[in-house]
Amino acid sequence: MVDTAAIRARYAAERDKRVRPDGNNQYIELSGKFDHYKTDPYIPVAPRAPVNDHVTFAFVGGGFAGLCVGAKLKEAGITDYRIIEKGGDVGGTWYWNRYPGAQCDTASLIYLPLLEETNYRPTEKYAHAPEILEHSKRIANQFNLYDKALFHTEVTGLEWDESVKAWRITTNRGDNFTAQYVGLGTGPLHVAKLPGLPGIEDFKGHSFHTSRWDYDYTGGKPEDLTLSKLADKRVAIIGTGATAVQVVPHLSKYAKELFVFQRTPSSVDTRNNGPIDPDWFNDMAGPGWQMRWLENFAAHFSGLGIPDEDLVNDGWTDIAKRLRTRMADIPMEELTPQRMLDAFEETDNEKMSEIRARAEAVVRDHDTAEKLQAWYRQLCKRPTFHDAYLQSFNNPNTHLIDTDGKGVERISEKGVVVAGHEYEVDCIVYASGFEVGTSYQRRSGFDAVGRDGVTLAEAWTGGMKSLHGVHVHGFPNLFFVQPGQGANFIANIPHNLIDAGKTIAAIVSHARAEDKAVVDVTREAQDAWLALLSTGMGSLIGGTECTPGYYNNEGHGWEGEGGIVMQGHPAGAMAYFNYIEDWRTNGNFAGLAFA
Ligand code: NDP
């Protein structure tokens, strides 16, 4: 029997321990003297001449967003497409995150986009990073997305030029060109951050961020995770989020000694990875199979009723199915929003109790096991799934250094200091995550300037405003490709991106067919959409009652600035997908003005 009151009290106490007044300012931006932490370790930057031309469609970001939109535009016959990407190739997060053990957390069959279009069968239920990067390249090759791409290039300016009805784009490589349409798909997690620890510059050993893994130092490579050069090294890893959970087993296996510095434990559920059987796949993968899978998964997180069949069958759908079962026990006349929230809490408490019990069962040392237990609701932080992380703490070389919610005290010349104790190490791996709560402008490196010189920062004073999360009034021919204010579907972001690709291709095709050069959302349509979003229950992730993290703006919540970013269609993801399918195919494009 779960004691709800006791759990609430423990959650609140653990949260209070961690909330800091400095919020996002506790982290260091990778600029100036920390610039080297973001140098590309994978592909050298090649010199090239600046580009001064015009393209039909420019897309900022070569990750899944740019690939999905590019593919759908090419399918629609819009072929003049340019990706602008700060990495040396496509792949986005999978270009940068090549750390040992990197792997998708959502089943490959729904996480890897355009599997049917590329006729590709993933090898594992949860594919590893090299396979996902290869798949990104496969999409780029198949849809000819490399031909005009600019890699190792960061946009520095984006300004609407009414006289030519196009966007002027400038970059850090001296490019200065125009594009009739622009898409922005920079993703929420592309700017790495470091903890702002005193002495961080004084460390005399080696250090790097997980998104710039230094295989020269550790040995091995993404396809061969033998980190043999660590055999005589004492290694520290700072952070225990989703990245660290995947990295730690590999460091534990190869380092002479490993110190894992923990501020807040992750919830670590089972993974159950395994190969995908080619025969099973061939039988299953008839026409339309991937959309069927995507929709089946999304339907588990929708208010429209949960499907009887669970095709994906993973940790995410498990959460949804448990909730459904509990809901089914509630008599119809008692089914109020509050009763539903209570059911959600009961399900969550049950799940988290199981996850805590798992730590206890797996980790032999009782004290270590207790410290690895997560005391917050599962969606307060990114849930994780792994079958070797907790087990690593049974290895004699692996030490959990729990900081009781306070974090590392400081970095010294020789290592990491916690509670006055100095842990001497040769190398510090920062698994400290990415900027999320900082401004869109800071993270993208530019502020779009729309009609009449209005900047995006000005247009979004008080929070993001859009139609469908895609169009912003006053920023014609500009498309935002991200899940907020649309399906807001966090468990499988690629579904949002594929869908956005279809929508954008439909709009551009329509503009062409009607011989219109400019498309903008009307203010009325944008306001009406925001009003619709505000009728929803809000986001089920984060919340200020949660332990701090990027889901809840480091404990400070998203009120005002950014508040509504976290909202999606009030009736859930599938309601949005159904609505937008009709919107883009009925020929009206309601809310858009073509000129
Ligand atoms: P996170 O932001 O989730 O984790 C950063 C970690 O650093 C946290 O454990 C944080 O502790 C810790 N930290 C920060 N400052 C200090 C400090 N001063 N002392 C000690 N510890 C500190 O970053 P990740 O890179 O792990 O993950 C980011 C996101 O990337 C994930 O949430 C997920 O969305 C995505 N991801 C997806 C994967 C997948 O799909 N396969 C795999 C990996 C990541 P605290 O929690 O207390 O703030």
Side-chain angles (χ1 to χ4, degrees), residues 252-321:
S252 175
K253 187 167 173 191
Y254 289 102
K256 181 177 161 209
E257 268 197 290
L258 175 64
F259 298 92
V260 181
F261 292 89
Q262 170 178 278
R263 187 164 68 180
T264 310
S266 276
S267 70
V268 190
D269 205 350
T270 50
R271 157 98 302 166
N272 289 327
N273 196 16
I276 290 179
D277 175 9
D279 294 335
W280 168 84
F281 181 83
N282 291 341
D283 284 351
M284 178 281 293
W289 76 265
Q290 198 181 22
M291 195 40 72
R292 233 179 9 259
W293 275 63
L294 286 167
E295 291 183 350
N296 179 265
F297 184 78
H300 280 82
F301 303 90
S302 216
L304 301 181
I306 290 180
D308 293 331
E309 194 183 10
D310 179 5
L311 293 172
V312 174
N313 220 349
D314 67 357
W316 304 102
T317 56
D318 180 50
I319 299 171
K321 282 186 292 188

Side-chain angles (χ1 to χ4, degrees), residues 26-27 94 99 103-105 189 193 195 197 238-244 246 261 263-264 381-382 407-408 431-434 548 550:
Q26 68 181 285
Y27 295 106
W94 299 102
Y99 60 80
Q103 179 184 22
C104 60
D105 270 354
L189 297 163
K193 64 184 180 353
L197 298 170
I238 297 183
T240 50
T243 298
Q246 297 186 333
F261 292 89
R263 187 164 68 180
T264 310
K381 279 192 176 270
R382 172 62 146 68
V408 164
S432 44
F434 303 87
Y550 77 83

Side-chain angles (χ1 to χ4, degrees), residues 255-466:
K256 181 177 161 209
E257 268 197 290
L258 175 64
F259 298 92
V260 181
F261 292 89
Q262 170 178 278
R263 187 164 68 180
T264 310
S266 276
S267 70
V268 190
D269 205 350
T270 50
R271 157 98 302 166
N272 289 327
N273 196 16
I276 290 179
D277 175 9
D279 294 335
W280 168 84
F281 181 83
N282 291 341
D283 284 351
M284 178 281 293
W289 76 265
Q290 198 181 22
M291 195 40 72
R292 233 179 9 259
W293 275 63
L294 286 167
E295 291 183 350
N296 179 265
F297 184 78
H300 280 82
F301 303 90
S302 216
L304 301 181
I306 290 180
D308 293 331
E309 194 183 10
D310 179 5
L311 293 172
V312 174
N313 220 349
D314 67 357
W316 304 102
T317 56
D318 180 50
I319 299 171
K321 282 186 292 188
R322 284 165 181 260
L323 185 57
R324 174 183 59 171
T325 312
R326 204 165 280 267
M327 296 272 202
D329 292 341
I330 306 174
M332 261 323 258
E333 61 279 12
E334 290 176 27
L335 205 58
T336 59
Q338 187 53 49
R339 192 67 194 85
M340 284 158 71
L341 288 173
D342 290 346
F344 186 44
E345 184 179 5
E346 288 158 22
T347 316
D348 194 277
N349 287 344
E350 186 184 280
K351 180 79 191 174
M352 287 302 284
S353 299
E354 285 175 23
I355 289 175
R356 286 189 287 269
R358 180 171 185 246
E360 197 73 61
V362 169
V363 180
R364 283 196 288 274
D365 178 69
H366 177 69
D367 185 46
T368 306
E370 268 199 342
K371 288 176 173 154
L372 287 164
Q373 291 178 334
W375 288 96
Y376 45 79
R377 290 183 64 161
Q378 194 180 22
L379 297 184
C380 278
K381 279 192 176 270
R382 172 62 146 68
T384 74
F385 310 89
H386 213 286
D387 293 337
Y389 174 74
L390 294 169
Q391 291 78 349
S392 302
F393 295 95
N394 291 331
N395 296 339
N397 70 333
T398 302
H399 317 285
L400 179 71
I401 311 301
D402 181 58
T403 64
D404 192 28
K406 298 181 190 71
V408 164
E409 189 177 304
R410 64 187 169 86
I411 303 293
S412 67
E413 285 189 8
K414 293 184 186 160
V416 181
V417 181
V418 171
H421 184 95
E422 183 182 55
Y423 297 85
E424 288 190 21
V425 292
D426 302 296
C427 174
I428 301 176
V429 177
Y430 289 104
S432 44
F434 303 87
E435 289 191 17
V436 176
T438 53
S439 75
Y440 189 88
Q441 291 69 27
R442 166 166 154 173
R443 281 177 286 127
S444 33
F446 60 89
D447 191 5
V449 183
R451 276 211 173 104
D452 305 321
V454 175
T455 66
L456 190 61
E458 288 162 350
W460 281 0
T461 305
M464 177 181 177
K465 298 171 194 74
S466 77

